[in-house]
Amino acid sequence: TRDHEFLCAVRSGTVSSEVFCKWFVQDYLFVREFAVYAGHVLASAHVDRSSDIKNDPLRCALAALAALDGELSWFEETAPTIGVNTTHLLREAQPLPATKTYCEFMRKLAREEKSPAVLFT
Protein backbone atom coordinates (compact mmCIF):
# COMPACT_ATOMS: atom_id res chain seq x y z
CA THR A 1 0.00 0.00 0.00
CA ARG A 2 1.00 3.64 -0.39
CA ASP A 3 1.54 4.00 3.34
CA HIS A 4 3.88 1.03 3.69
CA GLU A 5 6.98 2.02 5.69
CA PHE A 6 9.37 0.97 2.91
CA LEU A 7 7.52 2.90 0.19
CA CYS A 8 7.30 5.99 2.38
CA ALA A 9 11.06 5.81 3.04
CA VAL A 10 11.81 5.42 -0.68
CA ARG A 11 9.50 8.32 -1.52
CA SER A 12 11.07 10.58 1.09
CA GLY A 13 14.64 9.51 0.26
CA THR A 14 15.26 8.18 3.76
CA VAL A 15 15.47 4.45 3.01
CA SER A 16 18.71 3.01 4.35
CA SER A 17 21.16 1.35 2.01
CA GLU A 18 20.79 -1.92 3.93
CA VAL A 19 17.00 -1.95 3.63
CA PHE A 20 17.10 -0.96 -0.05
CA CYS A 21 19.59 -3.74 -0.85
CA LYS A 22 17.41 -6.25 0.98
CA TRP A 23 14.41 -5.19 -1.13
CA PHE A 24 16.55 -5.20 -4.28
CA VAL A 25 17.64 -8.82 -3.82
CA GLN A 26 14.13 -10.00 -2.92
CA ASP A 27 12.56 -8.20 -5.87
CA TYR A 28 15.18 -9.68 -8.19
CA LEU A 29 14.32 -13.19 -6.94
CA PHE A 30 10.62 -12.47 -7.46
CA VAL A 31 11.13 -11.11 -10.99
CA ARG A 32 13.16 -14.18 -11.99
CA GLU A 33 10.40 -16.44 -10.72
CA PHE A 34 7.74 -14.33 -12.44
CA ALA A 35 9.66 -14.67 -15.73
CA VAL A 36 9.49 -18.46 -15.38
CA TYR A 37 5.77 -18.17 -14.67
CA ALA A 38 5.23 -15.92 -17.72
CA GLY A 39 7.12 -18.49 -19.78
CA HIS A 40 4.75 -21.17 -18.53
CA VAL A 41 1.78 -19.05 -19.55
CA LEU A 42 3.37 -18.50 -22.96
CA ALA A 43 3.99 -22.23 -23.40
CA SER A 44 0.39 -23.05 -22.52
CA ALA A 45 -1.10 -20.35 -24.76
CA HIS A 46 -2.76 -21.38 -27.98
CA VAL A 47 -4.17 -19.46 -30.87
CA ASP A 48 -7.58 -18.29 -29.75
CA ARG A 49 -9.30 -16.49 -32.58
CA SER A 50 -12.23 -15.63 -30.34
CA SER A 51 -10.20 -13.58 -27.86
CA ASP A 52 -10.00 -9.81 -27.95
CA ILE A 53 -6.67 -8.90 -29.53
CA LYS A 54 -5.85 -6.53 -26.65
CA ASN A 55 -6.36 -9.33 -24.12
CA ASP A 56 -4.80 -12.19 -26.07
CA PRO A 57 -2.90 -14.35 -23.53
CA LEU A 58 -0.15 -15.05 -26.06
CA ARG A 59 0.53 -11.35 -26.59
CA CYS A 60 0.30 -10.62 -22.85
CA ALA A 61 2.87 -13.34 -22.10
CA LEU A 62 5.20 -12.10 -24.84
CA ALA A 63 4.96 -8.53 -23.56
CA ALA A 64 5.60 -9.65 -19.99
CA LEU A 65 8.67 -11.64 -20.98
CA ALA A 66 10.10 -8.74 -23.00
CA ALA A 67 9.58 -6.35 -20.09
CA LEU A 68 11.00 -8.83 -17.58
CA ASP A 69 14.13 -9.32 -19.67
CA GLY A 70 14.78 -5.59 -19.47
CA GLU A 71 14.02 -5.54 -15.75
CA LEU A 72 16.41 -8.42 -15.04
CA SER A 73 19.12 -6.64 -17.04
CA TRP A 74 18.54 -3.51 -14.94
CA PHE A 75 18.92 -5.52 -11.73
CA GLU A 76 22.11 -7.19 -12.95
CA GLU A 77 23.63 -3.87 -14.12
CA THR A 78 22.57 -1.97 -10.99
CA ALA A 79 23.64 -4.57 -8.41
CA PRO A 80 27.36 -3.69 -8.38
CA THR A 81 26.61 0.04 -8.18
CA ILE A 82 24.73 -0.39 -4.89
CA GLY A 83 27.09 -2.92 -3.35
CA VAL A 84 25.20 -6.11 -4.18
CA ASN A 85 27.50 -8.87 -5.39
CA THR A 86 26.11 -10.40 -8.60
CA THR A 87 27.33 -13.87 -7.61
CA HIS A 88 25.27 -13.55 -4.44
CA LEU A 89 22.33 -12.24 -6.44
CA LEU A 90 22.39 -15.10 -8.93
CA ARG A 91 23.49 -18.07 -6.86
CA GLU A 92 23.36 -17.51 -3.13
CA ALA A 93 20.45 -15.23 -2.28
CA GLN A 94 17.55 -16.94 -0.55
CA PRO A 95 13.97 -15.71 -0.62
CA LEU A 96 12.56 -14.29 2.58
CA PRO A 97 9.13 -15.55 3.70
CA ALA A 98 7.03 -13.07 1.69
CA THR A 99 9.04 -13.63 -1.49
CA LYS A 100 8.96 -17.37 -0.96
CA THR A 101 5.17 -17.29 -0.53
CA TYR A 102 4.64 -15.32 -3.75
CA CYS A 103 6.97 -17.64 -5.67
CA GLU A 104 5.26 -20.76 -4.32
CA PHE A 105 1.90 -19.27 -5.30
CA MET A 106 3.08 -18.78 -8.90
CA ARG A 107 4.45 -22.35 -9.02
CA LYS A 108 1.13 -23.64 -7.72
CA LEU A 109 -0.78 -21.72 -10.38
CA ALA A 110 1.53 -23.04 -13.07
CA ARG A 111 0.77 -26.64 -11.99
CA GLU A 112 -2.98 -26.13 -12.20
CA GLU A 113 -4.81 -26.85 -15.42
CA LYS A 114 -6.10 -23.36 -16.15
CA SER A 115 -6.31 -21.37 -19.32
CA PRO A 116 -3.53 -18.83 -20.02
CA ALA A 117 -6.08 -16.00 -19.70
CA VAL A 118 -6.91 -17.12 -16.16
CA LEU A 119 -3.25 -17.59 -15.26
CA PHE A 120 -2.41 -14.01 -16.24
CA THR A 121 -5.21 -12.29 -14.39
Side-chain angles (χ1 to χ4, degrees):
T1 66
R2 290 184 58 180
D3 296 327
H4 187 278
E5 182 180 341
F6 174 76
L7 296 177
C8 291
V10 169
R11 202 169 29 250
S12 69
T14 59
V15 67
S16 72
S17 175
E18 180 183 344
V19 169
F20 183 80
C21 288
K22 182 177 173 180
W23 165 83
F24 184 91
V25 169
Q26 293 305 302
D27 200 44
Y28 176 79
L29 294 174
F30 171 79
V31 171
R32 284 186 59 90
E33 190 74 33
F34 186 69
V36 171
Y37 178 73
H40 170 78
V41 174
L42 177 62
S44 64
H46 62 281
V47 176
D48 182 359
R49 297 179 188 266
S50 66
S51 70
D52 176 2
I53 199 159
K54 292 181 180 177
N55 298 315
D56 179 16
L58 175 67
R59 298 297 300 269
C60 290
L62 286 170
L65 285 168
L68 292 169
D69 181 53
E71 190 169 355
L72 287 170
S73 293
W74 176 83
F75 276 108
E76 291 155 3
E77 292 164 8
T78 303
T81 69
I82 62 169
V84 174
N85 181 302
T86 53
T87 299
H88 170 73
L89 192 62
L90 293 171
R91 293 184 181 85
E92 300 164 3
Q94 296 297 313
L96 295 175
T99 306
K100 187 174 182 176
T101 299
Y102 278 118
C103 293
E104 287 172 353
F105 176 70
M106 286 187 287
R107 285 187 218 115
K108 179 180 177 254
L109 282 179
R111 287 190 303 269
E112 294 178 1
E113 298 288 328
K114 295 191 184 236
S115 75
V118 170
L119 291 172
F120 243 175
T121 55

